[in-house]
Amino acid sequence: MTFVAPPGYQPVYNPSIPYLGPIYGGLREGSSIYIQGSVPEDITRFYVNLLCGQSDNSDVALHFNPRFDGRDKVVFNTRQNDNWESEDKIRSMPFRKGERFEMVILITSQGYQIRVNGNDFHMFPHRIPVERVGGLEIAGDVAIQTINIIGGGMGGGYPGMGGGYPGGNMGPVPYQGMIAGGLSPKRTIIIRGMLPYGASRMAINFIVSRTGDIAFHLNPRLNEGLVVRNSKIGGGWGKEEREINFNPFAEGHCIVCL
C-alpha cells in the first residue's frame, strides 16, 4: 500500500508558472518556505507573493520582486485594500541569469528573512500579521522545481511539526522525545527539515526506551556521499549497511523522511 502524505506535507514539484496555491494552516514564527528553481538568460523579472487569502487579488503580506532592468534590484512591498505601499528597493541581485537558485523565506518575529543560495539577503519587516497569510503566488520569468513549506500553522503546527506533533513538540537539535504509543507496523514517522550549507553529517536514532538500545540508526554523511544504517544492541554496534544507489540528502536542501 502506497503512503500518501496529507495536505501540508506534500512538496510541490515542477508547478506551472504562474503558480497560485494554498499554504495549509498558514504561517507562524519559525516556519520557512523553500523554493528551488532557475531563471532564464533573457529574464526581466519575476515575483513571489505571500497572499492573505488564496486568490491573486488578496492582500499581499510579502511581495518579493527581482528586476533585471539595467539597474538590477529586488523590490519588496505589501498590498492592502488594492493599494501598494512604499517599496523597499535593494540594489543588489542575488540571482544570476541562466542559473539555478535555492531560496528560503524564514518567518521570524521581526519579519521575513530572505536567503538565496545559502546567503542572507534581506529582512523585510512585518507590515501585515503573518497569521493572515494563506496562499503563495509565483509568476514571471522563472521556472520552479520545488516548493516546500516547513513548520506551517495547521492548529499550531503540521502534524509532525511543532504544536501538532503527536509524540511531543519538536525542539532544537539535538532533539530527543518520546513516540507516544511506540512504533507498530504501518505507522509512519515524518521528519521535515533543512540541511544547512556546509553540513557534513546528521543522525536519526530510534531508541528502545527500556534498554537504551538503538533499534535503527540512520546516518547520512554528506562529506562522504554515504547513508549509513545500523543498530546498537547491548552497547555494541552491529555491521553497518552502506550500499545505496544514491545519496538523497544534500546540503542546502529540504529533507523529508517517511
Side-chain angles (χ1 to χ4, degrees):
M1 178 177 177
T2 302
F3 173 78
V4 178
Y9 281 119
Q10 297 170 325
V12 177
Y13 296 109
N14 302 309
S16 299
I17 300 299
Y19 168 82
L20 178 63
I23 297 177
Y24 293 101
L27 297 175
R28 60 184 174 85
E29 182 181 348
S31 302
S32 60
I33 300 172
Y34 172 82
I35 300 171
Q36 184 181 42
S38 59
V39 294
E41 288 283 356
D42 58 352
I43 181 176
T44 57
R45 62 178 62 188
F46 74 93
Y47 64 82
V48 177
N49 287 340
L50 296 184
L51 303 173
C52 300
Q54 297 181 16
S55 66
D56 56 8
N57 60 0
S58 301
D59 287 348
V60 178
L62 170 67
H63 175 67
F64 174 83
N65 180 205
R67 300 178 183 177
F68 292 78
D69 54 7
R71 299 184 63 190
D72 295 353
K73 56 185 172 290
V74 178
V75 173
F76 291 82
N77 207 343
T78 56
R79 185 181 70 201
Q80 299 193 64
N81 302 317
D82 291 327
N83 295 313
W84 288 103
E85 300 183 352
S86 60
E87 294 180 339
D88 279 0
K89 294 181 180 179
I90 310 302
R91 298 196 179 278
S92 176
M93 180 55 67
F95 304 94
R96 296 191 180 278
K97 294 181 177 182
E99 294 189 7
R100 297 170 62 88
F101 67 85
E102 293 171 345
M103 171 181 168
V104 182
I105 304 173
L106 300 171
I107 290 79
T108 73
S109 59
Q110 293 78 32
Y112 301 97
Q113 175 66 57
I114 310 299
R115 293 179 180 170
V116 179
N117 296 330
N119 300 313
D120 286 340
F121 177 67
H122 182 65
M123 166 73 79
F124 181 71
H126 292 300
R127 298 181 183 176
I128 297 175
V130 69
E131 292 78 15
R132 291 186 56 197
V133 174
L136 174 67
E137 180 183 22
I138 304 175
D141 303 324
V142 67
I144 299 299
Q145 283 75 55
T146 306
I147 302 170
N148 207 338
I149 300 171
I150 302 171
M154 195 174 289
Y158 285 129
M161 293 293 296
Y165 184 59
N169 292 329
M170 294 295 281
V173 175
Y175 168 82
Q176 183 171 347
M178 298 295 293
I179 300 174
L183 291 180
S184 58
K186 296 186 179 180
R187 189 167 188 187
T188 302
I189 293 179
I190 298 177
I191 301 172
R192 296 171 62 99
M194 177 172 290
L195 294 170
Y197 284 86
S200 60
R201 62 176 60 194
M202 59 173 284
I204 299 170
N205 292 326
F206 289 175
I207 300 174
V208 181
S209 58
R210 182 172 55 85
T211 63
D213 291 341
I214 298 176
F216 177 56
H217 171 71
L218 178 68
N219 178 209
R221 301 177 184 178
L222 281 72
N223 54 349
E224 300 177 51
L226 299 173
V227 180
V228 174
R229 293 88 68 200
N230 207 340
S231 59
K232 185 178 181 181
I233 301 173
W237 287 101
K239 182 179 179 181
E240 290 184 346
E241 295 184 10
R242 295 182 168 219
E243 295 74 20
I244 193 168
N245 291 332
F246 71 101
N247 186 348
F249 301 91
E251 62 180 6
H253 284 196
C254 289
I255 57 172
V256 179
C257 301
L258 303 178

